[in-house]
Amino acid sequence: MAELTLRKADQPQKGKTWPKPEGATRLREFHIYRYDPDSTDNPRIDTYFVDLDNCGPMILDALLYIKNNTDPTLTLRRSCREGICGSCSMNINGLNTLACTKGMDDSSGAIKIYPLPHMPVVKDLVPDLSNFYAQHRAIEPWLKTTSPTPEKEWTQSIENRAKLDGLYECILCACCSTSCPSYWWNGEKYLGPAALLQAYRWLIDSRDETTQERLDNLEDPFKLYRCHTIMNCAQVCPKGLNPAKAIAQIKKMVVERKVAA
């Protein structure tokens, strides 16, 4: 069996162990990935300690505690703190998730934090999501119509609106796509779970009038068919969505179109 390893220059090295907070009686240990693009050194894993009596319960609370009290150079993304914006997505103890909704009590022992896997790293816990956003833009995630614009709004029945449940809630955190082996190896060509979930959301929107055009855009050996239903995407989605099911529905629509032709 082939063994895949990082090249020597990319292998994280043991980093600095930062001092424990003075007077703290309840501590939690963190091992955090550090990478400085302005340095020629390998990435490293720094060890930090958080005073639980002076910190909130979530992983994001701990990261902000470290940044504010221990090491101001630690770099991460965050915004809403409520699992809405998707900014603080990262790999925590081997699972892609949101730092703001992941509790420290959900795991025992030292907590290991890395950036989202198989993505270029800008710095520390910040991945480069340029390609991810470009793929989302490529599926044209907006209403496309050919009929004259109505005076007020495009109406939709309650039943048709219900079909969008489980799709529109995606916050583009990239947890699903970066947990997908097919996306790891074909990220430049395969659109990935997040983009395809959004593509299906517009394919089944009763108000959209360009279904055939959208299917033409997706019917490609790499854009759609690299999905092998591994289901990592559904396992890690912090919103409880199922991108694999949406991808299967797109494949079904493509087949049904061919049969009907």
Side-chain angles (χ1 to χ4, degrees):
M1 182 181 293
E3 183 177 350
L4 304 176
T5 59
L6 290 172
R7 61 177 186 163
K8 189 174 181 180
D10 293 330
Q11 294 176 2
Q13 307 296 310
K14 181 176 175 57
K16 177 178 178 180
T17 297
W18 293 77
K20 296 179 180 179
E22 293 184 5
T25 58
R26 293 198 309 133
L27 294 174
R28 195 66 189 270
E29 184 175 339
F30 284 78
H31 298 169
I32 301 178
Y33 179 95
R34 303 299 308 277
Y35 167 70
D36 184 355
D38 297 324
S39 171
T40 57
D41 296 338
N42 276 39
R44 67 183 194 273
I45 306 298
D46 280 4
T47 299
Y48 300 90
F49 298 91
V50 170
D51 181 358
L52 296 180
D53 290 326
N54 290 293
C55 179
M58 300 301 178
I59 298 293
L60 182 59
D61 293 320
L63 290 171
L64 294 179
Y65 174 93
I66 292 169
K67 187 171 180 66
N68 294 334
N69 298 282
T70 308
D71 179 11
T73 68
L74 179 63
T75 304
L76 65 146
R77 287 193 182 113
R78 54 99 175 184
S79 184
C80 74
R81 299 172 62 95
E82 298 291 342
I84 296 172
C85 71
S87 299
C88 64
S89 55
M90 55 190 70
N91 186 278
I92 302 172
N93 284 343
L95 189 72
N96 293 350
T97 188
L98 301 178
C100 67
T101 59
K102 181 72 171 178
M104 284 186 272
D105 289 342
D106 291 345
S107 55
S108 59
I111 297 175
K112 301 176 182 179
I113 304 180
Y114 289 76
L116 292 175
H118 290 266
M119 302 287 274
V121 177
V122 178
K123 188 178 181 183
D124 294 345
L125 301 177
V126 179
D128 184 350
L129 297 177
S130 300
N131 183 61
F132 175 78
Y133 290 135
Q135 290 170 325
H136 178 246
R137 186 165 55 249
I139 60 102
E140 299 184 327
W142 54 80
L143 189 66
K144 298 172 65 178
T145 61
T146 55
S147 300
T149 303
E151 291 184 7
K152 291 187 177 181
E153 59 189 16
W154 295 98
T155 59
Q156 188 172 49
S157 69
I158 294 175
E159 293 74 19
N160 284 330
R161 168 60 186 80
K163 295 177 181 178
L164 306 183
D165 290 343
L167 301 171
Y168 76 89
E169 299 95 333
C170 174
I171 57 176
L172 295 177
C173 63
C175 284
C176 63
S177 291
T178 55
S179 72
C180 173
S182 292
Y183 192 77
W184 297 346
W185 313 133
N186 301 284
E188 295 297 323
K189 297 180 180 179
Y190 174 47
L191 290 177
L196 290 172
L197 177 84
Q198 289 295 306
Y200 183 60
R201 176 255 179 273
W202 292 103
L203 279 168
I204 64 166
D205 193 317
S206 61
R207 300 164 298 177
D208 192 271
E209 298 175 340
T210 59
T211 300
Q212 299 308 314
E213 176 187 320
R214 292 184 185 275
L215 288 175
D216 288 341
N217 183 46
L218 293 173
E219 192 174 358
D220 177 271
F222 278 91
K223 287 183 179 179
L224 174 63
Y225 287 100
R226 291 301 93 187
C227 173
H228 300 300
T229 324
I230 298 171
M231 301 299 292
N232 281 7
C233 54
Q235 180 183 3
V236 303
C237 178
K239 306 302 287 186
L241 310 183
N242 191 342
K245 181 179 178 181
I247 295 171
Q249 291 297 325
I250 296 175
K251 293 178 180 178
K252 181 181 177 181
M253 292 178 73
V254 171
V255 171
E256 289 176 342
R257 183 172 70 158
K258 289 182 178 179
V259 172

